[in-house]
Structures are given as C-alpha cells and as structure tokens.
Amino acid sequence: MRRLFFCFSFMIIFSTSSAYDPLDPNGNITLKWDIMSWTADGYVATVTMNNFQIYRHIQNPGWTLGWAWAKKEVIWSMVGAQTTEQGDCSKFTGNVPHCCKKIPTVVDLLPGVPYNQQFSNCCKGGVVGAWGQDPSSAVSQFQVSVGLAGTTNKTVKLPKNFTLLGPGPGYTCGPAKIVPSTVFLTTDKRRKTQALMTWNVTCTYSQFLARKHPSCCVSFSSFYNDTITPCPSCACGCENKKSCVKADSKILTKKGLNTPRKDNAPLLQCTHHMCPVRVHWHVKVNYRDYWRVKIAITNFNYRMNHTLWTLAVQHPNLNNVTQVFSFDYKSVAPYGSINDTGMFFGTKFYNDLLMEAGPSGNVQSEVLLQKDEKTFTFKQGWAFPRKVYFNGDECMLPPPDAYPFLPNSARGNLASLWTLSLTVLLLYVHLKLVI
C-alpha cells in the first residue's frame, strides 16, 4: 500500500512539475475575453493575450490560437487577426461569416495591413515579447464578432479545449473561467467603463512537451586553464546529423538557403553537439575586488534568426553585477530574497537580432561582477553558471567533472620536495668529502 501511495504521489508531482519553471514559477500566458457589446445573435469581444513570462517570448512565425465552440457559433468578422480556414458556410445566404468551423484556428495579421483591419496591439505577425524584457510588447489583441451565440450573461456558453502554439508545441491551456468584468479607463481618465462579461484562460509552458531534446547547450573556458570544455556530444540529439551542412560547404552559397520552411525544419551546421544554439561562458579576468566574464551566443541554424532573444542565467554572484557592456540586463528574483538569477537580452536596434548561422550569427558581451569575500572562489567550478536558458528553454550544461579546474598545486609541491631532497643529499655528500 505504501509503495502504491509513493508511486501515485510521484506521478502527481511529476505531472504538475512538467509545466513548472523554477526560475519563473509564476510565468504563464493569459487569454482574456471581454464581451464589449451584444448583437442580434451574439456578441462582440476583445481578446487579449498577455505574456506574463519573464524571459520566454513568442518569436516568428508567431502564435496560433485555437478553441472549440460550445454550441454552433460562427465568427461573423474579425479585426486584428484572422482564421486560417473559413470552413463550410454554405447554409448562409446574403452575409457569409468569416469562419464557420467548429474548431477555428486564429493567427495574428502581418505588419502593414490596411488600417481598417488593424486593432490595438495587433498585426505583429504573432510575435509577442517577454514580460521581463518589454511589458509593452508582451501583449497581443484582436476583436471578434460571434454569431449564433448567447446574447446575455446567462445564455453565453464559454469556448472550450483551448490550444496555443507559440510558435511550436509546449503550451497547455486550462479551461475558461468567468472572472470579474474588466474595468477600462477612458482616454481623459475621468470615467470608468467595464466589460459586459469576462473570462480568462491560462496557458503554461513545458519544455518536455515542446521537444524531445534541448535546443541549446553550454561550453566553458577560463583564463586559468587552457582546456576548453565543449558542449556534450549530441547534446541536442543527433537526428539531424545526416542533413547537416559543413561550415565550408558550397551549398551555403545557394540562394534561398536561409528561407525558413513551413514545417520550421532546421538546417544545422555540422557540430559534435548538433545544437541550434550554443552559449559560451568564459571566465576572462580576475581582479582584486572584481572578476570578469565573457558571454558569447552562437547560432548554428542556417534557416532561423532569433528576434528579441533572451538569455537567463543562474549564478550566486549575479546578486552583485557591476556592469554589463554590450547586452541589456535585468535582475530576476523569482523567490524574493534570493537574487541569483539574471536575464540578458539584446540592445534594441543594436544586437537584439541574432542572425542565422554564419559570420554574423553570434552576439557577445562581457560582465563585470564584484566579489563577495565570503563566497567567491574559483575552486570546484564555482565560477560557472548553475542553469542557463536561451529563449526560455533550458540548455544542456557539461558534466561537472569536465569543468575547467584550477592548476593542481600538488605537482608543484612534489617538485619542490624533490628539489629540497636533492639539495640536502648533495650537501651531505659534499660534507662527507670535506671531512
């Protein structure tokens, strides 16, 4: 009975923790539906997508949202987004709905659409920034007019089975829940209005659901050891080994090589680790009161560049960052008093775009940190990070026994002892000869 209880408890813990990020425990994407007005056969709603994740954003080709209607609802029109398919609307005469599918699939509009199709915070191609990076870009909105639906709070049926791709799999959405109506402030800030009805849907991310292998790896080096600790072999799986391209291949000169495919299949540079992205952490200089680290991020995917990239790092000395030279930096304190996590990201219009693999496919910066005499040491790999996340996915670190180590002083001690012994022996022989 105890064994059964233990196994059951383990399954519950594992299942709930699969979508839990220890460095961003409260991170999620919240979908908010605000019914703004009733129509003859339904309602007009504003749908808002808020990305409350500190360092995980939705990059190109953007989000894809889906749900199932509870009854036989249709979408008469949309502003700021569109469904990918119209479905069968043959039973309608005159006005034809925008979408008649039971399970519609919605995507954001691209930048540059006509003004009459735009809505606030729309038309970014589905790209949504991370909340910790830029809260103003961490939102996406569209308006939807729903027909054949309820026309009062009591007759409206909430949609169900929400799905979110951002842009690939990994998100799990809970059921829609009715919440207090959203309150809006007019432009002159003198009057408050509120939605007629509001419900929320919360979606959380799990790297285990997103992909079989990690999408990035970490390598280490230091000034006190000539050895470079590389990424582990096949850190991101070697399934793409057969289709990878060598850095000096003539294929790289072909036109259209960097164009992404519809299935987002990567075209990786051949490496021993086969990761799309590598993060390198180099312990560069040791001063009396400070120490300096160089961080380099390299893209090995010829078909993808990374907009609004983020790098989250956990290290105990990030509680005392003196200066970051080429990246923007923000401290992340998921547990309040423990300040050991920071987020690096590119400076806008300078290096916030990590280009595809090639000569320009890297960004780098240096970090100056102040020492704490009580904790600072170069021993036992202390100078290297505990966790590294690129674009919200945890990267594979080398095994601890492979970290660059301090030069072994034991060899020097043995040599000194041998020299001393030889000196004593020679002195003894000399004295014997003199006597």
Side-chain angles (χ1 to χ4, degrees):
M1 187 68 182
R2 289 183 178 180
R3 289 182 180 179
L4 182 63
F5 177 76
F6 175 78
C7 292
F8 181 71
S9 301
F10 178 80
M11 289 173 63
I12 292 176
I13 293 171
F14 183 81
S15 62
T16 55
S17 63
S18 62
Y20 175 77
D21 186 347
L23 300 188
D24 187 13
N26 300 315
N28 68 76
I29 290 181
T30 299
L31 307 171
K32 183 174 66 171
W33 287 56
D34 291 311
I35 295 181
M36 307 304 294
S37 62
W38 303 111
T39 61
D41 67 339
Y43 57 86
V44 176
T46 297
V47 180
T48 305
M49 180 185 298
N50 284 302
N51 183 10
F52 293 121
Q53 298 174 111
I54 297 175
Y55 47 77
R56 184 178 295 109
H57 68 290
I58 298 177
Q59 63 180 358
N60 189 55
W63 55 261
T64 301
L65 180 63
W67 64 83
W69 291 118
K71 298 191 293 185
K72 296 182 179 181
E73 293 92 337
V74 296
I75 298 177
W76 282 115
S77 62
M78 299 188 77
V79 182
Q82 65 182 4
T83 59
T84 57
E85 295 181 52
Q86 184 183 30
D88 183 9
C89 297
S90 57
K91 67 178 181 180
F92 291 89
T93 58
N95 292 333
V96 178
H98 175 80
C99 178
C100 300
K101 291 185 70 69
K102 175 73 174 180
I103 305 176
T105 301
V106 178
V107 294
D108 192 14
L109 296 181
L110 298 174
V113 297
Y115 287 110
N116 62 347
Q117 297 179 27
Q118 295 183 22
F119 197 70
S120 57
N121 296 308
C122 86
C123 313
K124 296 178 287 185
V127 175
V128 182
W131 184 264
Q133 187 175 5
D134 182 10
S136 65
S137 68
V139 59
S140 183
Q141 286 182 302
F142 62 88
Q143 186 183 78
V144 57
S145 177
V146 182
L148 303 183
T151 55
T152 66
N153 293 34
K154 294 183 179 180
T155 56
V156 166
K157 296 294 183 181
L158 275 57
K160 53 187 179 181
N161 300 336
F162 281 86
T163 59
L164 175 65
L165 299 178
Y171 285 95
T172 302
C173 299
K177 295 182 179 180
I178 297 176
V179 296
S181 297
T182 303
V183 176
F184 304 95
L185 197 63
T186 56
T187 53
D188 61 4
K189 298 182 179 180
R190 300 178 62 187
R191 170 178 163 80
K192 292 181 180 179
T193 60
Q194 70 177 49
L196 303 176
M197 186 179 182
T198 301
W199 61 80
N200 282 353
V201 178
T202 302
C203 303
T204 55
Y205 181 82
S206 169
Q207 188 171 342
F208 299 104
L209 297 176
R211 54 185 56 86
K212 183 180 178 181
H213 302 289
S215 59
C216 53
C217 65
V218 184
S219 57
F220 294 143
S221 62
S222 65
F223 70 89
Y224 54 77
N225 193 314
D226 293 335
T227 303
I228 297 177
T229 303
C231 289
S233 296
C234 292
C236 300
C238 281
E239 287 85 349
N240 295 313
K241 197 80 172 180
K242 295 181 181 179
S243 60
C244 68
V245 178
K246 293 183 179 180
D248 57 352
S249 175
K250 294 182 179 180
I251 299 177
L252 300 178
T253 59
K254 290 185 176 180
K255 292 183 178 180
L257 179 77
N258 303 122
T259 304
R261 287 173 42 171
K262 290 184 178 180
D263 58 358
N264 290 326
L267 180 63
L268 300 181
Q269 185 181 120
C270 294
T271 59
H272 73 281
H273 53 76
M274 290 305 296
C275 286
V277 173
R278 182 192 65 198
V279 179
H280 186 73
W281 179 281
H282 174 65
V283 181
K284 187 176 181 180
V285 185
N286 181 31
Y287 306 107
R288 187 184 68 176
D289 298 322
Y290 301 88
W291 61 296
R292 196 181 186 106
V293 172
K294 183 176 181 179
I295 300 173
I297 307 172
T298 305
N299 187 4
F300 292 98
N301 189 350
Y302 289 102
R303 287 189 182 138
M304 177 175 286
N305 55 40
H306 297 276
T307 57
L308 303 176
W309 61 266
T310 61
L311 180 72
V313 178
Q314 185 182 41
H315 189 283
N317 211 158
L318 288 178
N319 63 350
N320 208 345
V321 174
T322 302
Q323 186 175 358
V324 179
F325 291 90
S326 301
F327 294 164
D328 288 339
Y329 176 78
K330 182 175 289 188
S331 177
V332 178
Y335 301 103
S337 59
I338 304 175
N339 182 19
D340 63 351
T341 306
M343 180 180 69
F344 301 89
F345 51 98
T347 302
K348 200 167 186 179
F349 305 123
Y350 175 59
N351 57 3
D352 60 339
L353 173 63
L354 175 59
M355 295 295 291
E356 60 271 0
S360 302
N362 69 89
V363 289
Q364 51 189 317
S365 179
E366 294 189 4
V367 185
L368 187 67
L369 304 107
Q370 187 172 2
K371 295 179 180 177
D372 184 343
E373 295 180 359
K374 297 179 182 178
T375 59
F376 179 82
T377 179
F378 283 131
K379 296 179 180 179
Q380 299 178 345
W382 185 91
F384 300 102
R386 295 1 177 207
K387 285 179 179 291
V388 176
Y389 289 69
F390 179 76
N391 281 352
D393 282 338
E394 187 171 2
C395 304
M396 179 173 283
L397 274 65
D401 58 353
Y403 286 19
F405 54 83
L406 285 168
N408 193 347
S409 59
R411 295 179 181 178
N413 293 337
L414 289 173
S416 300
L417 183 61
W418 184 84
T419 304
L420 179 62
S421 301
L422 182 61
T423 304
V424 171
L425 180 61
L426 292 174
L427 182 61
Y428 175 75
V429 172
H430 177 73
L431 289 175
K432 280 286 186 181
L433 293 173
V434 171
I435 294 173

